[in-house]
Amino acid sequence: MTRATGAPAAPQPASEARRATLETLRGRRSHSRVTEQAPSSAELAELVSAMSAVADHSGLRPWRLIEIRGDRRRILGEALAEAAGETTPEGEERYLGKAQRAPLVLAVVVCERESEKVPRWEQEAVAAGVAHYLGLLLHEAGWGSMWRTGVLARSAPLRRAHRLAKNEELMGWLYIGGIAEGQQRDKPRRPLDPAEHLSSL
Ligand SMILES: Cc1cc2nc3c(=O)[nH]c(=O)nc-3n(C[C@H](O)[C@H](O)[C@H](O)COP(=O)(O)O)c2cc1C
């Protein structure tokens, strides 16, 4: 983008780059089934570094992410089973299976900071922004992901399993992996009519 010195910034006419950005955004889909391939910690860290872009009242950065891979996913499965009160081997197996639906499970945690200006809900909005942006960047990088929560997400067994501090709560997990051949979700979405969501006062 070129800008004359001293001239105010003005919206630019639709460029190829902008069209591509809109296409990426419109084309994002969740993938409930993913392959055993996953982004490395270094690849993930690169995407996480872009989360400085999330709107964040007072710049509190009230969030953190926890990578859960390989056998560590059993800890998540066992905690889910405990939270659900499942004690039968079949029940436990079911929850272990849920925790292992993707090779990388990324827990999204809101870490409430003390602030007179920024209430808890605003801090959760920041953590939610991180989950949304990351899902979008993962999609753009060719990875499949799906944000999952469930009624057990804020239960004591899950808090313990993730070693959350008193000021922390789970926002859910991004289940991340590869997209198998033929599993791309390219069916167009239900069209969105801006007029139903956008009005003037
Ligand atoms: C905070 C949050 C929690 C979610 N939890 C679940 C969940 O537990 N189970 C589920 O099937 N979908 C859940 N979803 C919805 C999926 O992530 C996904 O958006 C939905 O399947 C629609 O697919 P799409 O993202 O391709 O439109 C959740 C979404 C959000 C934003």
Side-chain angles (χ1 to χ4, degrees), residues 28-30 132 146-150 171 185 189:
R28 187 208 65 80
R29 295 309 308 246
S30 299
H132 283 296
M146 181 153 169
W147 186 351
R148 289 189 161 100
T149 47
M171 301 290 294
R185 292 185 62 201
R189 284 180 186 277

Side-chain angles (χ1 to χ4, degrees), residues 89-177:
E90 305 78 58
E92 283 176 1
E93 236 6 85
R94 201 155 56 81
Y95 281 98
L96 286 176
K98 281 180 188 282
Q100 294 176 69
R101 279 183 290 208
L104 169 58
V105 184
L106 190 67
V108 180
V109 179
V110 58
C111 316
E112 188 180 4
R113 311 287 184 215
E114 272 187 43
S115 169
E116 289 185 3
K117 273 200 304 193
V118 190
R120 166 72 167 264
W121 75 265
E122 289 192 23
Q123 301 193 31
E124 295 208 354
V126 180
V130 168
H132 283 296
Y133 277 24
L134 256 189
L136 183 63
L137 288 186
L138 285 162
H139 159 78
E140 198 273 335
W143 297 106
S145 78
M146 181 153 169
W147 186 351
R148 289 189 161 100
T149 47
V151 290
L152 309 174
R154 295 198 166 179
S155 63
L158 283 154
R159 292 186 59 82
R160 276 197 299 277
H162 290 78
R163 301 191 192 144
L164 298 190
K166 277 202 178 94
N167 63 324
E168 296 181 325
E169 286 285 9
L170 281 162
M171 301 290 294
W173 304 265
L174 293 181
Y175 284 73
I176 302 164

Side-chain angles (χ1 to χ4, degrees), residues 26-90:
R26 291 197 188 106
R28 187 208 65 80
R29 295 309 308 246
S30 299
H31 287 84
S32 59
R33 282 164 196 236
V34 289
T35 71
E36 283 307 305
Q37 266 196 311
S40 66
S41 293
E43 284 174 84
L44 185 63
E46 189 189 15
L47 304 185
V48 171
S49 72
M51 295 304 112
S52 55
V54 175
D56 184 350
H57 194 173
S58 290
L60 298 175
R61 299 202 170 153
W63 54 274
R64 67 186 180 101
L65 305 167
I66 307 170
E67 285 180 65
I68 311 171
R69 299 177 190 258
D71 274 357
R72 308 299 287 174
R73 292 173 299 170
R74 290 186 67 87
I75 298 172
L76 172 59
E78 285 162 4
L80 284 168
E82 185 189 344
E86 277 291 354
T87 48
T88 63
E90 305 78 58

